[in-house]
Amino acid sequence: MDRGNKQFGVSIYSVEERRKSKAQSLHREHLLCLKQNNNEWKIEEKVNELFNLINEEKECIKEQRDLLEHERLTFEQIFKKVQQVHVSSPIQLSIGGTKFSTTLDTLLKYRNSFFGCLFSGYISLKPDKDGSFFIDRDGTHFHYILNYLRTGELVLPSNKPHLVKLLLMEAEFYQ
């Protein structure tokens, strides 16, 4: 019986060992699978982090591009303004003794006007000793005329209705 038990025990032991071995093997496979799944999850997590970083960088680049575009447009507007007021050929006017400074381009803006004809080169002009060109007109409101030549818009104060008649007379002269 002992021998049978031994044999039986060996048989049982062998089956038990095989069962344990199989369980350990399955456990190792399960752990390996879990580890592999965990690694895959970690890889997927890292990939998602990288995509998020890439998207954040894309947003930063887009914001920087938008800022640069805004700066470019602003620069172009300023450049156009500078071209319009660039003082390459300044002219000094003395309108009734009141001094005004402007550019030749501004005065030649309307070729068929008083200043267009005066500074066209067909009339021989000599500046005064101080370098200004004297025009015998009232200079009190000439800045309205000069601003019109610069911008193409006539802006008048609404609280001075008598000014309209005076400016109309001056405008007709400089026309």
Side-chain angles (χ1 to χ4, degrees):
M1 212 168 179
D2 282 336
R3 199 172 189 196
N5 280 342
K6 217 176 192 184
Q7 272 184 337
F8 189 69
V10 169
S11 297
I12 291 175
Y13 179 75
S14 295
V15 170
E16 191 62 35
E17 272 300 310
R18 276 188 258 141
R19 195 180 301 139
K20 267 186 177 178
S21 177
K22 183 74 171 169
Q24 285 175 345
S25 178
L26 285 173
H27 183 68
R28 275 194 304 272
E29 284 178 27
H30 180 69
L31 285 177
L32 185 62
C33 191
L34 285 175
K35 190 174 183 181
Q36 196 173 21
N37 286 343
N38 193 25
N39 284 341
E40 287 174 5
W41 181 77
K42 285 182 181 178
I43 289 171
E44 188 176 326
E45 185 178 275
K46 291 294 182 188
V47 167
N48 285 336
E49 285 177 24
L50 288 173
F51 275 124
N52 288 338
L53 285 172
I54 288 169
N55 287 333
E56 287 174 14
E57 285 299 314
K58 281 181 180 178
E59 283 298 313
C60 285
I61 290 169
K62 184 184 179 302
E63 288 173 10
Q64 288 175 348
R65 187 185 70 225
D66 291 346
L67 282 172
L68 286 172
E69 179 64 14
H70 177 73
E71 286 179 16
R72 184 187 67 78
L73 291 174
T74 301
F75 177 78
E76 283 180 0
Q77 289 173 344
I78 291 170
F79 185 74
K80 286 178 184 176
K81 286 179 185 177
V82 168
Q83 282 182 320
Q84 291 173 355
V85 297
H86 180 65
V87 186
S88 60
S89 51
I91 299 287
Q92 305 300 320
L93 298 175
S94 175
I95 310 295
T98 305
K99 302 289 183 177
F100 293 93
S101 297
T102 188
T103 64
L104 185 59
D105 289 340
T106 298
L107 296 175
L108 294 175
K109 190 171 185 179
Y110 299 98
R111 298 269 180 207
N112 294 327
S113 69
F114 172 81
F115 290 112
C117 292
L118 189 65
F119 291 101
S120 66
Y122 294 118
I123 299 172
S124 177
L125 290 177
K126 291 186 182 175
D128 289 345
K129 290 178 186 177
D130 66 355
S132 66
F133 294 93
F134 181 78
I135 309 236
D136 190 16
R137 295 298 289 184
D138 186 359
T140 309
H141 306 296
F142 181 73
H143 64 278
Y144 291 109
I145 305 291
L146 189 55
N147 283 335
Y148 175 79
L149 292 173
R150 290 174 176 149
T151 65
E153 292 183 39
L154 182 60
V155 180
L156 302 173
S158 59
N159 61 348
K160 297 184 179 179
H162 67 284
L163 184 61
V164 175
K165 185 175 180 182
L166 293 171
L167 283 175
L168 185 58
M169 286 182 354
E170 292 301 302
E172 285 176 5
F173 174 81
Y174 291 112
Q175 184 177 14

